[in-house]
Amino acid sequence: MRMEKWKQKSAGDRAFEVILCILLAVFVIMAVYPLYFVVLASVSDPLLVSRGKVLLLPEGMSLFGFQKVFEDGRIWTGLRNTLLYTVLGTAVNMLATLPAAYALSRRDLRGRKTVMMLFVFTMFFNGGLVPTYLLMQKQHLVNTMWVFILPFAVNVYNLIIARTFFETSIPQELYESAALDGCSDFRFFGSIVLPLSKAIVSVIMLYYMVAHWNDFFTGLIYIMDRKLNPLQLVLREILIINNVFTAGGTGGGGLNSYNQMYADTVKYAVIIVSSLPMLILYPFIQKYFEKGVMIGAIKG
């Protein structure tokens, strides 16, 4: 069937599709191969990687990088902390963002445009790092786990996407029909709006989860107790220590080169450790993510 359609097309259309497929294949390779190479380099012999002999398949299997990363006891503390911050932080984000977005989407809410303007204002202007630090200190959030969770409960960009979806995809007639049956606003939001909004909810949840998982700046600024450090900050310290060890090598360029090879292997392993959980999670919500991105792109 496809061959028949292909034959029915003009020579120009067929040439265009061939060129388009070639260009897409090139772009896919350019995007995917660096990630693939990181995986290969993390499980290959550092000497062969440095010599450029690792291209398509792993050579001289070696788990040295992962061994160095996971033998550090701080990695497990950081992983536990990051999981806690990600789960609690995302829950707080969703509890704050979705009801606010739904309320702002209701045309019968008085002053909603003014409230929305105040939200948008914070996207362009903020107090700066020093006033923000003083505020966190005043609220007794510095050097506590809550500094990762409470201060950044609402992302205005995500709020706008959710509000736009509720405003354009949930018919007003649906609310009026439910209200006639005695449905309250809270029950309508929980029983009707949220089940119809799985796509946008999944997208916003993924955005928040990735933001919490990758967050190291908050810990860098507000956390002094190493027991509260997130995984990203622990991995950063491992890289810094590893680089210092490499730069401080003695005995000439040969030893430094040897240390650098193993330092690069540790870097590749750190990339895998920090990225793998999100990569595992993404396929389970991919279908919702695609729908949500189209919603935000077309109706936003």
Side-chain angles (χ1 to χ4, degrees), residues 47-222:
L47 182 61
L48 298 177
V49 174
S50 65
R51 290 180 177 177
K53 293 185 177 182
V54 177
L55 295 175
L56 297 177
L57 295 174
E59 301 287 347
M61 290 291 293
S62 172
L63 298 178
F64 173 82
F66 292 101
Q67 179 184 347
K68 283 295 182 183
V69 170
F70 285 110
E71 73 181 9
D72 193 321
R74 295 174 299 168
I75 203 79
W76 303 109
T77 302
L79 180 60
R80 181 199 64 196
N81 291 339
T82 295
L83 288 173
L84 179 64
Y85 302 154
T86 300
V87 172
L88 281 181
T90 303
V92 170
N93 292 143
M94 300 303 286
L95 288 173
T97 301
L98 294 179
Y102 171 68
L104 291 170
S105 71
R106 293 285 300 273
R107 293 181 175 85
D108 55 347
L109 177 67
R110 294 182 179 180
R112 70 181 187 124
K113 291 185 178 179
T114 303
V115 175
M116 198 66 230
M117 286 178 61
L118 294 175
F119 272 115
V120 173
F121 182 83
T122 64
M123 295 180 68
F124 300 99
F125 303 96
N126 60 64
L129 183 58
V130 174
T132 303
Y133 185 89
L134 294 176
L135 176 63
M136 300 299 174
Q137 194 175 47
K138 205 77 171 177
Q139 300 299 321
H140 305 289
L141 294 174
V142 174
N143 208 31
T144 68
M145 61 172 283
W146 300 108
V147 75
F148 292 94
I149 299 168
L150 297 179
F152 313 104
V154 175
N155 181 286
V156 179
Y157 178 76
N158 293 337
L159 176 71
I160 293 173
I161 293 177
R163 186 211 62 170
T164 302
F165 175 83
F166 293 145
E167 200 170 44
T168 57
S169 300
I170 306 298
Q172 179 68 18
E173 294 77 12
L174 190 61
Y175 170 73
E176 294 172 356
S177 175
L180 289 175
D181 292 332
C183 183
S184 65
D185 288 319
F186 289 104
R187 186 174 181 183
F188 178 74
F189 176 70
S191 301
I192 298 177
V193 174
L194 289 182
L196 294 175
S197 309
K198 291 180 181 179
I200 200 67
V201 170
S202 300
V203 171
I204 293 175
M205 183 182 297
L206 182 64
Y207 284 165
Y208 277 130
M209 290 182 69
V210 171
H212 282 293
W213 184 268
N214 291 332
D215 184 20
F216 76 93
F217 187 75
T218 301
L220 192 64
I221 299 298
Y222 301 110

